[in-house]
Amino acid sequence: MEIPEKSSAEIQLSEEEALDLATHLKEKLRAGLPIESDPDSIAIMIAGLGDPRGLLRRSFSDSLGSVGQAAVPALCQAMRHSSQVTVRRAAAKTLTLIRDPASLPDLLSTFLSDTDSVVQGSTMGAMASMGEESIDAILSIIAAPDSTEMQIGLANWALTLIGDRAPQVLRQAATSENANVRKASISALGSQIQALETEEDKELLLNALSDPFAEIRAEAVTLLGKFDDAKIATPLLIPKLSDSDSWVRKNSALSLMKLREISSIDALQSRATEENDENVLSVLKLAINQLLRASEN
């Protein structure tokens, strides 16, 4: 990316200068007039992203968003290298307004290297705003063995936001050899899988229920608890009450309870007589009691 000759780091705006410029920009936006997009003007607006007044920062951000792709190189430069955390945060948020796929490499690099949690969240939000085009970058975070729990959590959140906008790409990712990628993709496809509108979705769900990775099985039985049709979900859930993993057994019982499927009481009671995990047993008893009450009403 080409960087403007004058860096925003060299520019310092006084409070009065920032206010005057923000007011001028706001008036131009309201009037539908174009914002100057030459490198010097962009650099000055980026310097304004460091203003301590939130409303002024918003004016500069909106103005840079109006400039669009011409502002992307300088915004990426500021996001990656500014010593002011306020500027880095605001630059990432402004890239969300522009949604230029050319910024993805810088967004990903910043997400992985910046230690500020707001910057991380803002860069991930910017990636999510691009939909399908950002999925590979987001999945690379989930697949990386050195990603932190927070980074993976934000990546999962982004995939959920993308969700229905890129079902086919996520379906492909749901068959990945990487277990974490499979889990994240199935979770993001939740509403698609619940509808079971295609044979591909049915196959994904059945594969997830028998996946060797217990967390994926646990995710699959949780999705079943959100189905509108309990007659489809119940026969798939009852066998999972005897799963080798305690989380899968517990989530299966919770899903049957959420479905208010009275016909599952016998299976829950039978499992309760064999269950050795006290946490799972507590959930089984809760589900049984809730369903017995439902049967009386």
Side-chain angles (χ1 to χ4, degrees):
M1 289 185 179
E2 186 179 355
I3 304 302
E5 292 180 5
K6 183 182 290 186
S7 170
S8 59
E10 301 171 5
I11 300 171
Q12 296 293 326
L13 298 178
S14 69
E15 289 191 3
E16 185 177 355
E17 287 173 334
L19 179 59
D20 288 344
L21 179 57
T23 302
H24 169 70
L25 292 170
K26 188 180 294 186
E27 289 174 351
K28 294 196 74 170
L29 288 173
R30 285 177 178 172
L33 298 173
I35 302 297
E36 291 83 355
S37 59
D38 60 279
D40 286 352
S41 295
I42 290 172
I44 293 171
M45 286 186 282
I46 288 178
L49 295 178
D51 194 277
R53 293 161 289 188
L55 289 176
L56 265 67
R57 290 200 304 275
R58 178 63 183 270
S59 295
F60 290 118
S61 181
D62 288 344
S63 299
L64 287 161
S66 176
V67 170
Q69 289 183 332
V72 168
L75 282 167
C76 288
Q77 169 81 350
M79 176 183 66
R80 294 190 63 180
H81 301 297
S82 176
S83 60
Q84 294 179 267
V85 69
T86 305
V87 172
R88 301 200 306 275
R89 291 172 177 176
K93 291 175 181 176
T94 304
L95 288 167
T96 304
L97 301 176
I98 300 174
R99 301 181 183 180
D100 183 1
S103 65
L104 276 170
D106 290 293
L107 286 164
L108 179 60
S109 177
T110 302
F111 176 81
L112 294 173
S113 62
D114 201 298
T115 57
D116 181 75
S117 60
V118 177
V119 174
Q120 290 179 357
S122 298
T123 53
M124 185 53 67
M127 285 190 274
S129 72
M130 297 176 207
E132 181 176 328
E133 293 188 77
S134 66
I135 287 181
D136 286 345
I138 295 170
L139 289 176
S140 72
I141 296 164
I142 294 171
D146 56 347
S147 292
T148 66
E149 288 188 16
M150 180 178 177
Q151 289 171 335
I152 292 175
L154 286 169
N156 278 311
W157 165 73
L159 288 179
T160 301
L161 290 181
I162 295 170
D164 296 344
R165 289 183 285 160
Q168 197 53 41
V169 177
L170 288 169
R171 286 186 185 112
Q172 293 173 359
T175 63
S176 168
E177 294 183 1
N178 185 288
N180 290 326
V181 170
R182 293 200 304 276
K183 179 188 174 186
S185 302
I186 289 167
S187 178
L189 277 168
S191 61
Q192 291 281 333
I193 292 177
Q194 288 166 37
L196 290 181
E197 293 178 348
T198 68
E199 288 299 320
E200 189 175 4
D201 288 335
K202 294 176 185 177
E203 185 177 351
L204 278 177
L205 178 59
L206 292 174
N207 288 342
L209 287 169
S210 59
D211 197 283
F213 191 48
E215 290 187 25
I216 294 177
R217 301 198 302 276
E219 183 66 33
V221 297
T222 298
L223 285 178
L224 285 170
K226 300 175 183 177
F227 269 43
D228 292 328
D229 192 341
K231 292 181 180 179
I232 294 177
T234 301
L236 296 171
L237 282 168
I238 287 177
K240 306 315 290 181
L241 291 172
S242 301
D243 193 273
S244 59
D245 184 80
S246 61
W247 278 100
V248 178
R249 299 197 300 275
K250 182 170 72 172
N251 287 3
S252 299
L254 287 171
S255 287
L256 288 167
M257 181 179 72
K258 290 175 182 177
L259 290 168
R260 299 177 66 84
E261 186 53 39
I262 296 170
S263 66
S264 67
I265 292 176
D266 288 345
L268 288 162
Q269 289 175 328
S270 175
R271 180 62 214 173
T273 63
E274 302 175 11
E275 184 58 58
N276 296 319
D277 188 300
E278 289 298 324
N279 291 325
V280 179
L281 184 58
S282 295
V283 173
L284 287 166
K285 290 179 178 178
L286 174 64
I288 292 167
N289 289 335
Q290 292 290 331
L291 292 174
L292 285 172
R293 289 176 188 170
S295 68
E296 294 170 357
N297 296 330

